[in-house]
Amino acid sequence: MHGTDRRRQLIETALDVFSRKGFDGATTKEIAVEAGVTEAIIFRHFPTKQALYTAVVHAKRDPAEIEAWMAAVKSFIGRNDDAGLFREIARAMLACYRDDPRHERVMLFAALQGHRQTLVEHRRFSLPIMKLLTDYVARRQKEGALKPGPPGAVIAAIAGMASHYAMMTALFGFETGAKDDEMVDAFVNILMDGVRARKSKAGPSKAGIFKARKSKAGKSK
């Protein structure tokens, strides 16, 4: 097998093992067995288990895909399209689990096992994106387009709804019977409008007026 193909195969196999056991529970020997090679082959391409793990984490960050997504996000920001931006965030969160939930499992293991290096790298990658989004929300709040409040809470709300739903369905096996697009639209509507039913602007109903008059009549007696 060509060197590039072998490296790709090892990363794919390691992703599968790390997603089931995390960094602490997986061994290079187990990965080698599942890949059908010797441990020596693994260390020929990756000097350490940590190097292989790092390659697995980075493998799902395709620069071209990230650039395309950032271009879409900046397009929504440039048009002041609040709902469109929130919809894109929710869609992307769901896509992470739908495309390949193994990578999300690896990151969950990293958090649970306290794999500091991976978490630091994840924050280094994510924080600039979070700042871009929260800065936008803060600006829209100043412009009066969005309600005041912590900008980070707005982004956490839309990302949290989508990621939790994705986790429930992709990792825990819950079935909702709803399509992802329907759920994304629902999340955006909840974020933009809330879930409390709006009171009718019309006057009180005839039944309400009748009850009020009856109550007053009873008191007058």
Side-chain angles (χ1 to χ4, degrees):
M1 185 180 291
H2 191 274
T4 302
D5 294 333
R6 176 64 75 189
R7 179 183 174 86
R8 189 179 300 114
Q9 180 215 12
L10 293 175
I11 290 175
E12 178 67 19
T13 304
L15 170 61
D16 195 54
V17 177
F18 284 134
S19 73
R20 288 187 280 108
K21 299 191 173 184
F23 180 83
D24 294 344
T27 65
T28 52
K29 181 177 181 180
E30 181 180 9
I31 294 170
V33 169
E34 294 205 13
V37 299
T38 63
E39 278 189 279
I41 294 295
I42 290 180
F43 293 125
R44 183 182 301 172
H45 292 272
F46 305 96
T48 63
K49 175 183 170 183
Q50 176 61 55
L52 175 57
Y53 186 75
T54 300
V56 165
V57 172
H58 289 175
K60 291 300 177 180
R61 295 179 185 170
D62 185 287
E65 291 183 2
I66 293 173
E67 184 177 353
W69 186 75
M70 289 301 298
V73 165
K74 290 177 180 178
S75 177
F76 288 118
I77 289 176
R79 299 195 305 272
N80 288 336
D81 185 350
D82 306 324
L85 176 63
F86 299 147
R87 185 173 289 104
E88 180 59 25
I89 294 171
R91 185 205 63 76
M93 297 300 297
L94 279 172
C96 289
Y97 284 85
R98 297 294 184 252
D99 293 344
D100 191 343
R102 293 178 301 170
H103 184 263
E104 303 308 315
R105 288 176 59 90
V106 167
M107 296 308 299
L108 288 173
F109 266 118
L112 291 171
Q113 296 176 344
H115 203 270
R116 185 174 179 278
Q117 182 175 335
T118 300
L119 298 178
V120 168
E121 173 60 28
H122 181 64
R123 289 194 295 272
R124 186 181 295 116
F125 170 78
S126 302
L127 286 177
I129 299 175
M130 186 66 175
K131 186 176 187 307
L132 174 69
L133 299 175
T134 54
D135 283 351
Y136 170 76
V137 170
R139 174 172 67 80
R140 294 293 283 159
Q141 288 174 328
K142 289 181 180 179
E143 294 170 352
L146 298 176
K147 293 179 181 179
V154 177
I155 301 304
I158 188 64
M161 283 189 284
S163 62
H164 182 69
Y165 174 74
M167 191 182 301
M168 285 173 54
T169 53
L171 300 187
F172 294 100
F174 284 87
E175 295 288 345
T176 65
K179 295 180 180 179
D180 283 351
D181 288 345
E182 295 174 341
M183 295 300 293
V184 167
D185 287 340
F187 295 149
V188 173
N189 289 336
I190 289 171
L191 183 66
M192 299 296 287
D193 300 323
V195 295
R196 181 179 296 172
R198 296 181 179 179
K199 295 182 179 179
S200 174
K201 293 183 179 179
S205 65
K206 292 181 178 180
I209 294 174
F210 176 77
K211 287 181 180 179
R213 288 177 177 172
K214 187 176 181 181
S215 176
K216 288 182 179 179
K219 290 181 180 178
S220 64
K221 292 178 180 179

